[in-house]
Amino acid sequence: MALLVLLAAVAVSCAYSLAATPLYIATADVLIEPSGADISASSGTKIDADEVATQVQVVTSLPVSRLVQERFSLASPPDLSELVSVQAVGTSRILRVTAQDSSPDRAARTANIVATSYLQFREQDSVGRYEQARDRLAQEQADIESRLSEVNALLEKNPGGQALQGERRTLIASSAQVAAQIDALTDSLTTAAAGGELLHSAEPADNPVSPQIVLNLILGALVGLVLGVGAALLRDRLDDVVHDEEAVRQALDAVVLARVPQWSERSHRDRLVTLVDPHSPASEEYQRLGVNVRFMVATGAQESAPIVLLTSGQESEGKTVTSCNLAVSAARLGLNVVLIDADFRRASVAPRFGLGDPPGLSDLLVSEEDPSSYLIDIGVDNLTLLPAGTLPPNPAALLASGQMHLVLEELAAKADMIVVDSPPVLTGADTLELAALADMVVVVTRERVSRRRQLVAVRETLRQVSVESVGIVYNGVGDSARATYSYTSRERAVTGTDAAPDSAPTRAGKDQAGDPVPSAGTPPPSGDTHHGSAPTGHRDTPPVAPAGHGDSRKTAVAEPGDDVA
């Protein structure tokens, strides 16, 4: 995800750079000179910083804008602050006028017009100040000359007056000083009246200053990287759904026993892939699951069949279909397998084999009869089924009863493996009662369905009941090597366990005609007076029972999400 965000950001910055209008800048430099008033104050050519800052604002002022208006006969004074920017160059008397435009020629012309208009305003202002300073000095000199005439007249009457002689000398000196100032003002009138000069006129630029494609791409990559990492962290924090096998393994802290790919045959969505397509990649993974489970529960001193409990964290993760396919795969390995549906609330195992809603485990636990009388031969060699049976009022209490323990012990003594389909761990206490009796718990997960927090809760819940052996089935694997791998073999006659059963499901301990078949140590059952009979009929693959077939307690439907292997 982070890579996608990064690429998107780079693509957006590239598209923006290519679509953006190129912009050009042009600059004109103006040297400002002291005005006539400043010179009259004997400041020479020095201008203080405050005056320079003031002139920066004057360049875009209304008087300059009016000069531009008059020069180009505009209807109204333009807003020069939108056309140009002005700044002082360091601590010098140079002002830099910068214009920006999509046309390099227009940008240069704008900068030059504003600069020359400012100099025109500066010249007019300087001439006015010069005239004011000249008039002031001329008036001052006239006053001095007038007083000097009066003092000379008094000295003619009183030649010996010392005070008059001292005043006369002072007036003569003042007159000479004012005359010198007038001469200096006249000498500097050429430069002072102009108020400044254009040091550098603006020229059309060859290259645009915007957009800067390389810089934009670098900035886009940096922004995309930051956003991508942030999005990945946010998704990791908010998106709790698992997207890979590693997340499942870390959450459950267990080994992955099988990675079952999607089964693409939607026409057989309610059937078992191990029966319909025994050589598909999904069937191969179920066979791998059977072998791995067999080796994990195998012990040298084991006297009874191991009990393998299959569960999940929530619905729609493929728990029931995995239980059924595991039982079929284990049976084809030559093991005598008993498949038990212990999910009383949502019994879905029997419909997978074409059965409706026959009596089963719940009825057995209540009646305390012989477990073998409730086992159903579903037509797969070495595999019998103990359905869920009638929905009890308190499933957890029934599974926690001592009778449940005795039933499992009796079945395990006569079988090679017991596969138990149980409810999801987090939906109730049913699974916890069974987990304590199981030799191994297999947690079924599904890619893009299972959630990390739920899997962690499953792990902690199983640890609370001291479950030590835990395995994982990673369901619904998408684009992977296992999902695309399949055998390509020559056509052959399918026989034995590779073929779907041709016989109808029958009660274990009876032949297909329904007559009792005596077995060693077990008296023939007296009949099926209270159980009913299993459906019969030829089928190349296990048929799907129609909705509503069987007991009216619930509809015989597949568990949500179990339609895909």
Side-chain angles (χ1 to χ4, degrees):
M1 182 176 182
L3 180 59
L4 292 178
V5 175
L6 174 61
L7 294 177
V10 173
V12 169
S13 62
C14 182
Y16 167 77
S17 300
L18 295 177
T21 302
L23 295 178
Y24 299 84
I25 63 171
T27 58
D29 292 338
V30 176
L31 175 65
I32 56 176
E33 298 289 351
S35 64
D38 295 329
I39 295 176
S40 66
S42 301
S43 59
T45 59
K46 294 181 180 179
I47 300 179
D48 56 23
D50 292 338
E51 178 63 17
V52 174
T54 301
Q55 294 305 312
V56 169
Q57 303 298 322
V58 171
V59 175
T60 57
S61 64
L62 182 59
V64 178
S65 178
R66 286 174 177 168
L67 292 176
V68 175
Q69 178 189 6
E70 293 175 0
R71 185 172 179 179
F72 293 96
S73 300
L74 302 177
S76 60
D79 187 357
L80 298 184
S81 61
E82 295 182 355
L83 297 178
V84 297
S85 61
V86 185
Q87 62 181 358
V89 179
T91 58
S92 66
R93 295 180 289 139
I94 299 176
L95 302 183
R96 179 157 293 166
V97 181
T98 303
Q100 179 175 280
D101 200 282
S102 58
S103 169
D105 295 331
R106 191 163 52 242
R109 186 167 60 252
T110 300
N112 289 330
I113 289 173
V114 174
T116 54
S117 297
Y118 166 71
L119 289 176
Q120 181 182 356
F121 167 77
R122 181 76 173 167
E123 180 179 2
Q124 294 175 356
D125 182 67
S126 296
V127 169
R129 290 190 179 189
Y130 169 78
E131 291 177 351
Q132 291 178 0
R134 184 189 60 184
D135 293 343
R136 179 177 57 81
L137 291 175
Q139 182 61 42
E140 184 178 350
Q141 189 175 29
D143 292 340
I144 293 174
E145 292 295 335
S146 176
R147 178 57 182 168
L148 183 58
S149 299
E150 294 177 359
V151 171
N152 288 332
L154 292 174
L155 284 174
E156 290 178 357
K157 296 179 180 180
N158 184 15
Q162 297 295 326
L164 292 174
Q165 291 179 358
E167 184 180 359
R168 181 175 180 275
R169 287 193 295 270
T170 300
L171 290 173
I172 293 173
S174 298
S175 178
Q177 184 178 5
V178 171
Q181 290 180 358
I182 293 175
D183 292 340
L185 185 61
T186 302
D187 292 340
S188 61
L189 179 60
T190 303
T191 56
E197 60 178 313
L198 185 63
L199 291 182
H200 172 71
S201 61
E203 298 291 340
D206 295 329
N207 300 314
V209 295
S210 175
Q212 299 182 18
I213 298 179
V214 176
L215 179 60
N216 289 344
L217 291 179
I218 294 175
L219 293 178
L222 292 177
V223 172
L225 182 61
V226 173
L227 292 179
V229 172
L233 294 177
L234 185 63
R235 189 195 70 172
D236 186 66
R237 188 171 186 83
L238 300 181
D239 182 12
D240 200 31
V241 177
V242 296
H243 297 273
D244 52 58
E245 177 185 327
E246 182 63 24
V248 174
R249 187 164 49 240
Q250 291 180 357
L252 289 172
D253 191 20
V255 63
V256 176
L257 303 179
R259 303 158 185 85
V260 183
Q262 297 279 2
W263 189 29
S264 60
E265 295 295 332
R266 308 301 296 176
S267 59
H268 302 301
R269 58 178 297 168
D270 292 322
R271 302 183 180 183
L272 301 179
V273 64
T274 50
L275 295 177
V276 176
D277 191 1
H279 298 291
S280 67
S283 295
E284 296 295 333
E285 280 302 311
Y286 284 124
Q287 291 181 20
R288 181 190 301 274
L289 173 61
V291 172
N292 287 336
V293 169
R294 180 183 179 185
F295 279 101
M296 286 191 67
V297 299
T299 58
Q302 191 172 8
E303 298 180 356
S304 59
I307 300 173
V308 181
L309 181 73
L310 280 88
T311 185
S312 60
Q314 60 178 334
E315 297 179 358
S316 305
E317 293 181 294
K319 167 185 62 65
T320 298
V321 75
T322 302
S323 301
C324 297
N325 283 299
L326 170 61
V328 172
S329 299
R332 285 178 171 170
L333 291 175
L335 301 179
N336 184 12
V337 182
V338 177
L339 174 59
I340 301 176
D341 188 353
D343 191 351
F344 293 143
R345 293 181 174 87
R346 302 195 58 153
S348 303
V349 174
R352 287 288 176 179
F353 292 98
L355 303 176
D357 194 8
L361 179 60
S362 61
D363 306 283
L364 172 61
L365 295 177
V366 174
S367 65
E368 300 184 3
E369 298 182 23
D370 184 4
S372 61
S373 63
Y374 285 85
L375 295 178
I376 298 177
D377 185 349
I378 61 174
V380 177
D381 292 344
N382 304 321
L383 177 60
T384 53
L385 168 65
L386 179 57
T390 307
L391 176 64
N394 191 346
L398 198 59
L399 293 175
S401 64
Q403 184 64 20
M404 181 66 189
H405 186 70
L406 294 176
V407 168
L408 289 177
E409 284 186 347
E410 186 170 346
L411 293 175
K414 299 178 181 180
D416 297 321
M417 179 181 292
I418 306 296
V419 178
V420 182
D421 179 45
S422 67
V425 174
L426 304 179
T427 59
D430 306 24
T431 303
L432 299 183
E433 301 293 348
L434 295 172
L437 304 177
D439 296 292
M440 179 180 183
V441 175
V442 177
V443 180
V444 180
T445 64
R446 183 178 292 279
E447 187 176 272
R448 301 183 184 277
V449 174
S450 302
R451 297 183 175 275
R452 291 187 186 90
R453 291 183 179 85
Q454 289 182 340
L455 295 181
V456 172
V458 169
R459 180 190 68 193
E460 298 303 322
T461 302
L462 294 177
R463 286 180 178 177
Q464 289 175 4
V465 293
S466 302
V467 175
E468 297 181 356
S469 181
V470 178
I472 303 172
V473 172
Y474 188 48
N475 240 341
V477 179
D479 298 332
S480 66
R482 295 190 184 279
T484 57
Y485 174 79
S486 64
Y487 285 114
T488 54
S489 60
R490 60 186 178 87
E491 184 179 353
R492 61 177 182 176
V494 182
T495 60
T497 58
D498 289 338
D502 291 332
S503 59
T506 59
R507 185 79 63 192
K510 297 184 180 182
D511 62 10
Q512 295 182 10
D515 296 330
V517 179
S519 58
T522 303
S526 59
D528 269 348
T529 59
H530 65 291
H531 300 315
S533 59
T536 60
H538 176 79
R539 53 188 175 87
D540 293 333
T541 58
V544 180
H549 178 72
D551 198 318
S552 60
R553 171 175 68 90
K554 57 184 181 294
T555 303
V557 295
E559 179 179 345
D562 283 350
D563 58 320
V564 180

PDB file of all heavy atoms in Angstrom, residues 338-364:
ATOM      1  N   VAL A 338     -14.027 -41.413  12.148  1.00  0.00           N
ATOM      2  CA  VAL A 338     -15.376 -41.057  12.571  1.00  0.00           C
ATOM      3  C   VAL A 338     -15.467 -39.533  12.570  1.00  0.00           C
ATOM      4  O   VAL A 338     -14.693 -38.864  13.258  1.00  0.00           O
ATOM      5  CB  VAL A 338     -15.725 -41.621  13.960  1.00  0.00           C
ATOM      6  CG1 VAL A 338     -17.115 -41.147  14.387  1.00  0.00           C
ATOM      7  CG2 VAL A 338     -15.660 -43.133  13.934  1.00  0.00           C
ATOM      8  N   LEU A 339     -16.384 -39.008  11.782  1.00  0.00           N
ATOM      9  CA  LEU A 339     -16.604 -37.561  11.697  1.00  0.00           C
ATOM     10  C   LEU A 339     -17.810 -37.206  12.561  1.00  0.00           C
ATOM     11  O   LEU A 339     -18.915 -37.714  12.328  1.00  0.00           O
ATOM     12  CB  LEU A 339     -16.848 -37.142  10.248  1.00  0.00           C
ATOM     13  CG  LEU A 339     -17.231 -35.679  10.002  1.00  0.00           C
ATOM     14  CD1 LEU A 339     -16.154 -34.730  10.514  1.00  0.00           C
ATOM     15  CD2 LEU A 339     -17.482 -35.430   8.505  1.00  0.00           C
ATOM     16  N   ILE A 340     -17.594 -36.328  13.552  1.00  0.00           N
ATOM     17  CA  ILE A 340     -18.651 -35.956  14.496  1.00  0.00           C
ATOM     18  C   ILE A 340     -19.008 -34.488  14.290  1.00  0.00           C
ATOM     19  O   ILE A 340     -18.120 -33.624  14.284  1.00  0.00           O
ATOM     20  CB  ILE A 340     -18.202 -36.187  15.949  1.00  0.00           C
ATOM     21  CG1 ILE A 340     -17.830 -37.662  16.177  1.00  0.00           C
ATOM     22  CG2 ILE A 340     -19.289 -35.752  16.927  1.00  0.00           C
ATOM     23  CD1 ILE A 340     -17.295 -37.946  17.558  1.00  0.00           C
ATOM     24  N   ASP A 341     -20.291 -34.216  14.140  1.00  0.00           N
ATOM     25  CA  ASP A 341     -20.781 -32.835  14.064  1.00  0.00           C
ATOM     26  C   ASP A 341     -21.226 -32.422  15.461  1.00  0.00           C
ATOM     27  O   ASP A 341     -22.298 -32.814  15.939  1.00  0.00           O
ATOM     28  CB  ASP A 341     -21.943 -32.737  13.078  1.00  0.00           C
ATOM     29  CG  ASP A 341     -22.341 -31.279  12.829  1.00  0.00           C
ATOM     30  OD1 ASP A 341     -21.806 -30.390  13.524  1.00  0.00           O
ATOM     31  OD2 ASP A 341     -23.197 -31.042  11.945  1.00  0.00           O
ATOM     32  N   ALA A 342     -20.392 -31.639  16.138  1.00  0.00           N
ATOM     33  CA  ALA A 342     -20.705 -31.176  17.495  1.00  0.00           C
ATOM     34  C   ALA A 342     -21.168 -29.734  17.524  1.00  0.00           C
ATOM     35  O   ALA A 342     -21.254 -29.132  18.604  1.00  0.00           O
ATOM     36  CB  ALA A 342     -19.473 -31.344  18.382  1.00  0.00           C
ATOM     37  N   ASP A 343     -21.459 -29.176  16.355  1.00  0.00           N
ATOM     38  CA  ASP A 343     -21.970 -27.804  16.294  1.00  0.00           C
ATOM     39  C   ASP A 343     -23.500 -27.880  16.291  1.00  0.00           C
ATOM     40  O   ASP A 343     -24.149 -27.852  15.242  1.00  0.00           O
ATOM     41  CB  ASP A 343     -21.458 -27.116  15.028  1.00  0.00           C
ATOM     42  CG  ASP A 343     -21.734 -25.616  15.040  1.00  0.00           C
ATOM     43  OD1 ASP A 343     -22.458 -25.156  15.948  1.00  0.00           O
ATOM     44  OD2 ASP A 343     -21.237 -24.910  14.143  1.00  0.00           O
ATOM     45  N   PHE A 344     -24.074 -27.997  17.480  1.00  0.00           N
ATOM     46  CA  PHE A 344     -25.518 -28.186  17.595  1.00  0.00           C
ATOM     47  C   PHE A 344     -26.307 -27.003  17.039  1.00  0.00           C
ATOM     48  O   PHE A 344     -27.372 -27.173  16.456  1.00  0.00           O
ATOM     49  CB  PHE A 344     -25.904 -28.412  19.059  1.00  0.00           C
ATOM     50  CG  PHE A 344     -25.398 -29.708  19.623  1.00  0.00           C
ATOM     51  CD1 PHE A 344     -24.959 -29.805  20.936  1.00  0.00           C
ATOM     52  CD2 PHE A 344     -25.364 -30.848  18.834  1.00  0.00           C
ATOM     53  CE1 PHE A 344     -24.495 -30.998  21.455  1.00  0.00           C
ATOM     54  CE2 PHE A 344     -24.900 -32.058  19.351  1.00  0.00           C
ATOM     55  CZ  PHE A 344     -24.460 -32.135  20.655  1.00  0.00           C
ATOM     56  N   ARG A 345     -25.779 -25.805  17.219  1.00  0.00           N
ATOM     57  CA  ARG A 345     -26.546 -24.619  16.829  1.00  0.00           C
ATOM     58  C   ARG A 345     -26.616 -24.447  15.317  1.00  0.00           C
ATOM     59  O   ARG A 345     -27.598 -23.923  14.797  1.00  0.00           O
ATOM     60  CB  ARG A 345     -25.915 -23.370  17.464  1.00  0.00           C
ATOM     61  CG  ARG A 345     -26.038 -23.324  18.981  1.00  0.00           C
ATOM     62  CD  ARG A 345     -25.413 -22.061  19.545  1.00  0.00           C
ATOM     63  NE  ARG A 345     -25.628 -21.921  20.974  1.00  0.00           N
ATOM     64  CZ  ARG A 345     -24.857 -22.444  21.914  1.00  0.00           C
ATOM     65  NH1 ARG A 345     -23.812 -23.171  21.543  1.00  0.00           N
ATOM     66  NH2 ARG A 345     -25.129 -22.277  23.184  1.00  0.00           N
ATOM     67  N   ARG A 346     -25.561 -24.868  14.618  1.00  0.00           N
ATOM     68  CA  ARG A 346     -25.544 -24.731  13.158  1.00  0.00           C
ATOM     69  C   ARG A 346     -24.988 -26.009  12.546  1.00  0.00           C
ATOM     70  O   ARG A 346     -23.891 -26.032  11.975  1.00  0.00           O
ATOM     71  CB  ARG A 346     -24.712 -23.527  12.728  1.00  0.00           C
ATOM     72  CG  ARG A 346     -25.197 -22.219  13.309  1.00  0.00           C
ATOM     73  CD  ARG A 346     -24.608 -21.056  12.592  1.00  0.00           C
ATOM     74  NE  ARG A 346     -24.935 -21.098  11.171  1.00  0.00           N
ATOM     75  CZ  ARG A 346     -25.024 -20.019  10.392  1.00  0.00           C
ATOM     76  NH1 ARG A 346     -24.837 -18.831  10.919  1.00  0.00           N
ATOM     77  NH2 ARG A 346     -25.305 -20.125   9.119  1.00  0.00           N
ATOM     78  N   ALA A 347     -25.738 -27.065  12.676  1.00  0.00           N
ATOM     79  CA  ALA A 347     -25.289 -28.356  12.164  1.00  0.00           C
ATOM     80  C   ALA A 347     -25.275 -28.326  10.641  1.00  0.00           C
ATOM     81  O   ALA A 347     -26.321 -28.166  10.009  1.00  0.00           O
ATOM     82  CB  ALA A 347     -26.219 -29.460  12.673  1.00  0.00           C
ATOM     83  N   SER A 348     -24.082 -28.498  10.044  1.00  0.00           N
ATOM     84  CA  SER A 348     -23.947 -28.385   8.587  1.00  0.00           C
ATOM     85  C   SER A 348     -23.179 -29.533   7.975  1.00  0.00           C
ATOM     86  O   SER A 348     -22.967 -29.550   6.764  1.00  0.00           O
ATOM     87  CB  SER A 348     -23.236 -27.069   8.226  1.00  0.00           C
ATOM     88  OG  SER A 348     -23.929 -25.962   8.751  1.00  0.00           O
ATOM     89  N   VAL A 349     -22.750 -30.503   8.768  1.00  0.00           N
ATOM     90  CA  VAL A 349     -21.953 -31.600   8.224  1.00  0.00           C
ATOM     91  C   VAL A 349     -22.820 -32.564   7.423  1.00  0.00           C
ATOM     92  O   VAL A 349     -22.477 -32.952   6.304  1.00  0.00           O
ATOM     93  CB  VAL A 349     -21.219 -32.341   9.356  1.00  0.00           C
ATOM     94  CG1 VAL A 349     -20.494 -33.576   8.807  1.00  0.00           C
ATOM     95  CG2 VAL A 349     -20.215 -31.413  10.031  1.00  0.00           C
ATOM     96  N   ALA A 350     -23.964 -32.972   7.985  1.00  0.00           N
ATOM     97  CA  ALA A 350     -24.826 -33.938   7.292  1.00  0.00           C
ATOM     98  C   ALA A 350     -25.269 -33.442   5.917  1.00  0.00           C
ATOM     99  O   ALA A 350     -25.210 -34.206   4.938  1.00  0.00           O
ATOM    100  CB  ALA A 350     -26.044 -34.267   8.173  1.00  0.00           C
ATOM    101  N   PRO A 351     -25.710 -32.179   5.760  1.00  0.00           N
ATOM    102  CA  PRO A 351     -26.068 -31.713   4.411  1.00  0.00           C
ATOM    103  C   PRO A 351     -24.922 -31.774   3.424  1.00  0.00           C
ATOM    104  O   PRO A 351     -25.150 -31.898   2.216  1.00  0.00           O
ATOM    105  CB  PRO A 351     -26.525 -30.270   4.659  1.00  0.00           C
ATOM    106  CG  PRO A 351     -26.985 -30.253   6.073  1.00  0.00           C
ATOM    107  CD  PRO A 351     -26.086 -31.196   6.790  1.00  0.00           C
ATOM    108  N   ARG A 352     -23.688 -31.694   3.896  1.00  0.00           N
ATOM    109  CA  ARG A 352     -22.549 -31.779   2.979  1.00  0.00           C
ATOM    110  C   ARG A 352     -22.460 -33.139   2.307  1.00  0.00           C
ATOM    111  O   ARG A 352     -21.920 -33.259   1.212  1.00  0.00           O
ATOM    112  CB  ARG A 352     -21.247 -31.505   3.746  1.00  0.00           C
ATOM    113  CG  ARG A 352     -21.050 -30.053   4.140  1.00  0.00           C
ATOM    114  CD  ARG A 352     -20.733 -29.223   2.926  1.00  0.00           C
ATOM    115  NE  ARG A 352     -20.629 -27.809   3.266  1.00  0.00           N
ATOM    116  CZ  ARG A 352     -20.343 -26.863   2.403  1.00  0.00           C
ATOM    117  NH1 ARG A 352     -20.132 -27.195   1.145  1.00  0.00           N
ATOM    118  NH2 ARG A 352     -20.282 -25.605   2.763  1.00  0.00           N
ATOM    119  N   PHE A 353     -22.985 -34.172   2.961  1.00  0.00           N
ATOM    120  CA  PHE A 353     -22.941 -35.521   2.398  1.00  0.00           C
ATOM    121  C   PHE A 353     -24.301 -35.948   1.864  1.00  0.00           C
ATOM    122  O   PHE A 353     -24.548 -37.142   1.671  1.00  0.00           O
ATOM    123  CB  PHE A 353     -22.459 -36.510   3.463  1.00  0.00           C
ATOM    124  CG  PHE A 353     -21.025 -36.315   3.853  1.00  0.00           C
ATOM    125  CD1 PHE A 353     -20.697 -35.587   4.991  1.00  0.00           C
ATOM    126  CD2 PHE A 353     -20.006 -36.837   3.078  1.00  0.00           C
ATOM    127  CE1 PHE A 353     -19.376 -35.404   5.355  1.00  0.00           C
ATOM    128  CE2 PHE A 353     -18.677 -36.655   3.445  1.00  0.00           C
ATOM    129  CZ  PHE A 353     -18.367 -35.936   4.572  1.00  0.00           C
ATOM    130  N   GLY A 354     -25.162 -34.988   1.622  1.00  0.00           N
ATOM    131  CA  GLY A 354     -26.446 -35.300   1.022  1.00  0.00           C
ATOM    132  C   GLY A 354     -27.489 -35.760   1.992  1.00  0.00           C
ATOM    133  O   GLY A 354     -28.536 -36.268   1.579  1.00  0.00           O
ATOM    134  N   LEU A 355     -27.241 -35.625   3.289  1.00  0.00           N
ATOM    135  CA  LEU A 355     -28.219 -36.020   4.296  1.00  0.00           C
ATOM    136  C   LEU A 355     -29.039 -34.813   4.717  1.00  0.00           C
ATOM    137  O   LEU A 355     -28.596 -33.673   4.579  1.00  0.00           O
ATOM    138  CB  LEU A 355     -27.518 -36.619   5.514  1.00  0.00           C
ATOM    139  CG  LEU A 355     -26.605 -37.824   5.229  1.00  0.00           C
ATOM    140  CD1 LEU A 355     -25.905 -38.261   6.493  1.00  0.00           C
ATOM    141  CD2 LEU A 355     -27.404 -38.972   4.640  1.00  0.00           C
ATOM    142  N   GLY A 356     -30.206 -35.084   5.250  1.00  0.00           N
ATOM    143  CA  GLY A 356     -31.048 -33.988   5.722  1.00  0.00           C
ATOM    144  C   GLY A 356     -30.688 -33.599   7.140  1.00  0.00           C
ATOM    145  O   GLY A 356     -29.720 -32.885   7.359  1.00  0.00           O
ATOM    146  N   ASP A 357     -31.451 -34.105   8.082  1.00  0.00           N
ATOM    147  CA  ASP A 357     -31.235 -33.757   9.482  1.00  0.00           C
ATOM    148  C   ASP A 357     -31.505 -34.989  10.339  1.00  0.00           C
ATOM    149  O   ASP A 357     -32.446 -35.021  11.133  1.00  0.00           O
ATOM    150  CB  ASP A 357     -32.172 -32.610   9.871  1.00  0.00           C
ATOM    151  CG  ASP A 357     -31.751 -31.976  11.189  1.00  0.00           C
ATOM    152  OD1 ASP A 357     -30.662 -32.331  11.681  1.00  0.00           O
ATOM    153  OD2 ASP A 357     -32.514 -31.159  11.710  1.00  0.00           O
ATOM    154  N   PRO A 358     -30.667 -36.029  10.188  1.00  0.00           N
ATOM    155  CA  PRO A 358     -30.933 -37.280  10.913  1.00  0.00           C
ATOM    156  C   PRO A 358     -30.591 -37.156  12.394  1.00  0.00           C
ATOM    157  O   PRO A 358     -29.881 -36.245  12.811  1.00  0.00           O
ATOM    158  CB  PRO A 358     -29.994 -38.264  10.215  1.00  0.00           C
ATOM    159  CG  PRO A 358     -28.850 -37.424   9.765  1.00  0.00           C
ATOM    160  CD  PRO A 358     -29.447 -36.100   9.374  1.00  0.00           C
ATOM    161  N   PRO A 359     -31.116 -38.094  13.223  1.00  0.00           N
ATOM    162  CA  PRO A 359     -30.726 -38.116  14.640  1.00  0.00           C
ATOM    163  C   PRO A 359     -29.225 -38.317  14.759  1.00  0.00           C
ATOM    164  O   PRO A 359     -28.587 -38.921  13.888  1.00  0.00           O
ATOM    165  CB  PRO A 359     -31.510 -39.305  15.211  1.00  0.00           C
ATOM    166  CG  PRO A 359     -32.631 -39.524  14.234  1.00  0.00           C
ATOM    167  CD  PRO A 359     -32.101 -39.137  12.891  1.00  0.00           C
ATOM    168  N   GLY A 360     -28.666 -37.806  15.848  1.00  0.00           N
ATOM    169  CA  GLY A 360     -27.228 -37.896  15.972  1.00  0.00           C
ATOM    170  C   GLY A 360     -26.725 -37.730  17.385  1.00  0.00           C
ATOM    171  O   GLY A 360     -27.293 -38.296  18.339  1.00  0.00           O
ATOM    172  N   LEU A 361     -25.676 -36.925  17.544  1.00  0.00           N
ATOM    173  CA  LEU A 361     -24.945 -36.835  18.808  1.00  0.00           C
ATOM    174  C   LEU A 361     -25.835 -36.404  19.974  1.00  0.00           C
ATOM    175  O   LEU A 361     -25.769 -36.991  21.059  1.00  0.00           O
ATOM    176  CB  LEU A 361     -23.779 -35.859  18.635  1.00  0.00           C
ATOM    177  CG  LEU A 361     -22.910 -35.607  19.875  1.00  0.00           C
ATOM    178  CD1 LEU A 361     -22.268 -36.908  20.354  1.00  0.00           C
ATOM    179  CD2 LEU A 361     -21.832 -34.571  19.566  1.00  0.00           C
ATOM    180  N   SER A 362     -26.628 -35.364  19.781  1.00  0.00           N
ATOM    181  CA  SER A 362     -27.461 -34.895  20.889  1.00  0.00           C
ATOM    182  C   SER A 362     -28.442 -35.968  21.346  1.00  0.00           C
ATOM    183  O   SER A 362     -28.659 -36.161  22.559  1.00  0.00           O
ATOM    184  CB  SER A 362     -28.222 -33.629  20.476  1.00  0.00           C
ATOM    185  OG  SER A 362     -29.071 -33.889  19.374  1.00  0.00           O
ATOM    186  N   ASP A 363     -29.025 -36.702  20.361  1.00  0.00           N
ATOM    187  CA  ASP A 363     -29.944 -37.779  20.725  1.00  0.00           C
ATOM    188  C   ASP A 363     -29.210 -38.913  21.428  1.00  0.00           C
ATOM    189  O   ASP A 363     -29.736 -39.519  22.374  1.00  0.00           O
ATOM    190  CB  ASP A 363     -30.626 -38.303  19.461  1.00  0.00           C
ATOM    191  CG  ASP A 363     -31.295 -37.184  18.667  1.00  0.00           C
ATOM    192  OD1 ASP A 363     -32.380 -36.731  19.069  1.00  0.00           O
ATOM    193  OD2 ASP A 363     -30.692 -36.750  17.670  1.00  0.00           O
ATOM    194  N   LEU A 364     -27.974 -39.191  20.987  1.00  0.00           N
ATOM    195  CA  LEU A 364     -27.177 -40.241  21.611  1.00  0.00           C
ATOM    196  C   LEU A 364     -26.840 -39.897  23.053  1.00  0.00           C
ATOM    197  O   LEU A 364     -26.924 -40.749  23.952  1.00  0.00           O
ATOM    198  CB  LEU A 364     -25.900 -40.460  20.790  1.00  0.00           C
ATOM    199  CG  LEU A 364     -24.836 -41.384  21.393  1.00  0.00           C
ATOM    200  CD1 LEU A 364     -25.384 -42.791  21.590  1.00  0.00           C
ATOM    201  CD2 LEU A 364     -23.604 -41.419  20.496  1.00  0.00           C
TER     202      LEU A 364
END
